[in-house]
Amino acid sequence: MRYITMLDPFQHRYGNSFTAAILIPALISGTVTVILGISYSVSVIVSAFVAVIYTLLGGLYAVAYTDIFQLIITFFGMWTCIPFLMLSPAAMDIADTAFHNVSNNDPWIGEIKLEDAGKWADQTLLLAVGSLAYQVLHQRVLSAASATQAQVSCFAASVIVLSMGIPPILIGAVAASTDWNQTEYGLPPPYERGEAGRILPLALQYLTPLWVSALGISAIAAAAMSSVDSMLLSSASMFTNNLYKTLRGTKASEGELQWVIRISIMVAGAVGTGLAFINESIFLLLVMSGDLLYCIIMPQLVCVVHCPWANIYGAITGYLVGFVLRILSGEPSFGIPCVILYPGWREEDGVIQQYFPYRTLTTVSSLLCILTVSRLAELIFSHRLLPQSWDVLMVFREKGQAEEGDGSVPSEKKSQRNVQSTHL
């Protein structure tokens, strides 16, 4: 019995080539996430319009052509805004403000201190490796006709993602080099007001013409819509097939499963909307989701692909260990206190900040727990140290029955051959 069924088709189809196919795209993908820090009020309106197009067109044509349409809008929309931002009268030359202070603003290229290296390394690994665990990424890979096509598509996507990661950097540099007193926004600047998470819509609104601002907002809404529909469908389908259908078994009818997936989509959408209103920074929510994937799901993915002896006992233990360690490490952004204080922690403005790579430590701990407990469970039940009745999840009982069934056929054939030889 395999302990994670969602990735079984992938492993049988592509094997271990998946890691090599998407490692470089994952390393680059962290940059583009900056563009998601946007006002939801405008995004929801445009996204709803795109959703209507999905419904009216219907079928595969909607999925294929609207995705291409969204990609075109996102690419050209973002790059169209860059010249208007950089040529704004209120913005200084970003080359002059990169390393030294020529105005009231700090240089937009900062520095990484040695004592902060652990924190930066932890966040870099989170964005680079944690993105491998996104289920939407697996959908794209599994939809390819062959392993070669999947690899080529991923490397081609990495080039597109890299090109889309440049505009957010330039927009942030322009915003840091802007004299906001020359705009209707006024002083103090967004960073001092605590509105750094909304720098993209603020820059478009106050530094570009109206039609350029609308184009940039539409580009972000198109990119967000392309991901939201996939995430809602994937989360709802995983809940319906991996949990509800497993618990109900053969009693679940097709009509019942359809209603469950519809309700799941509504619940997932409502939860996502609530989280968006709780925290002002969409980018922070994105990083937090990657944080959970990196600490909890990533070890499971590694074991599914590379560790055939891993089983559900190890998976459950690793999940609990990763979740508990991550919660006890704290998260100031959501008001979760730090119970475990790692070396190098500091108290800043009354809030404890962890500078130790605790996310990576949590991920490694979860991985080791999966491997260790899986091996121990296999040794215990295979050597009859515990009775088979204690195998409540029926991992090794099913395996033993399958082996007995495979071994019975050869023994019967052998006995038949002995009888025939006796008669001869």
Side-chain angles (χ1 to χ4, degrees), residues 360-397:
T360 302
L361 177 63
T362 301
T363 303
V364 174
S365 301
S366 177
L367 178 61
L368 293 178
C369 284
I370 295 175
L371 299 178
T372 304
V373 175
S374 296
R375 279 297 192 188
L376 288 175
E378 183 179 3
L379 292 174
I380 289 173
F381 287 106
S382 62
H383 289 79
R384 308 292 181 176
L385 299 179
L386 289 177
Q388 291 289 335
S389 59
W390 287 37
D391 185 12
V392 293
L393 299 177
M394 300 181 67
V395 177
F396 301 97
R397 273 191 285 179

Side-chain angles (χ1 to χ4, degrees), residues 57-213:
L57 292 179
L60 296 176
Y61 293 101
V63 176
Y65 292 109
T66 50
D67 279 350
I68 296 175
F69 178 71
Q70 291 168 351
L71 181 62
I72 295 174
I73 287 183
T74 303
F75 185 84
F76 289 101
M78 292 303 300
W79 277 103
T80 302
C81 299
I82 296 301
F84 290 92
L85 288 168
M86 300 186 70
L87 297 176
S88 173
M92 303 183 63
D93 189 351
I94 60 175
D96 297 334
T97 58
F99 299 100
H100 53 87
N101 191 349
V102 295
S103 63
N104 293 328
N105 300 325
D106 294 328
W108 60 269
I109 293 184
E111 60 177 348
I112 300 178
K113 299 179 180 179
L114 182 60
E115 57 267 25
D116 301 341
K119 181 178 180 180
W120 281 100
D122 202 27
Q123 294 179 347
T124 301
L125 289 173
L126 184 153
L127 293 174
V129 182
S131 58
L132 294 174
Y134 274 106
Q135 200 265 346
V136 177
L137 180 59
H138 305 152
Q139 283 183 322
R140 297 297 184 265
V141 174
L142 289 172
S143 63
S146 64
T148 302
Q149 183 179 353
Q151 293 174 355
V152 172
S153 299
C154 289
F155 281 110
S158 68
V159 177
I160 298 176
V161 170
L162 179 61
S163 64
M164 290 305 302
I166 298 176
I169 298 176
L170 296 178
I171 292 173
V174 170
S177 306
T178 297
D179 184 4
W180 291 95
N181 195 32
Q182 298 184 26
T183 66
E184 297 181 0
Y185 185 81
L187 293 176
Y191 183 79
E192 296 181 9
R193 297 188 188 186
E195 297 182 349
R198 292 199 288 258
I199 196 62
L200 173 59
L202 290 175
L204 293 176
Q205 180 179 356
Y206 294 103
L207 301 179
T208 63
L210 179 61
W211 69 271
V212 176
S213 176

Side-chain angles (χ1 to χ4, degrees), residues 404-419:
E404 291 177 1
D406 294 339
S408 62
V409 176
S411 61
E412 292 177 358
K413 289 184 178 180
K414 183 177 180 181
S415 62
Q416 292 175 0
R417 286 196 299 269
N418 293 334
V419 172

